[in-house]
Amino acid sequence: MSQSVHPAAASAHLPAFIIAPGETDWLMIAMGIFLLLFVLAIGILYLRLHALPDHLAHHKVQFEIVCVLGLLAMFTHMHIFWIAGLLLALIDIPDFITPFKRIAGATETIANRAEVEREERGELPSGPVIEPRNSAVA
């Protein structure tokens, strides 16, 4: 018998990703690092996407509601809460409270001035004395 290579045997020229026994498999190490970075990147992308409604509604009136909807979506895995939070974050709800606070502050200032003018003239107030809540004069 001769020592010739059988025709069905592997050729002498093996691909680079096949290594000899006992050597370090650099392709497997590179793929492991790539897989770790890929999973980390997908996780960061998922968390950034999940927090998108919170970032959109940061300086709006409905911020707390959007945050609660985001937490519900995260803990229940129901995407409808996330969609509702995103839609609510995109809607601009008018601020009704600030004008009322300004009106109340202006009314308190006017009442305080009227009281000071009556005291300067020596008149006693005819009704009960109303003290302003946020008096700037202490």
Side-chain angles (χ1 to χ4, degrees), residues 97-133:
I97 297 173
T98 303
F100 288 128
K101 286 182 179 180
R102 292 182 67 194
I103 291 170
T107 307
E108 288 175 354
T109 304
I110 292 170
N112 192 20
R113 284 186 191 160
E115 183 180 325
V116 169
E117 288 175 3
R118 274 192 245 145
E119 286 178 5
E120 287 176 355
R121 284 185 262 154
E123 300 173 3
L124 294 174
S126 60
V129 178
I130 300 173
E131 302 226 0
R133 283 186 279 156

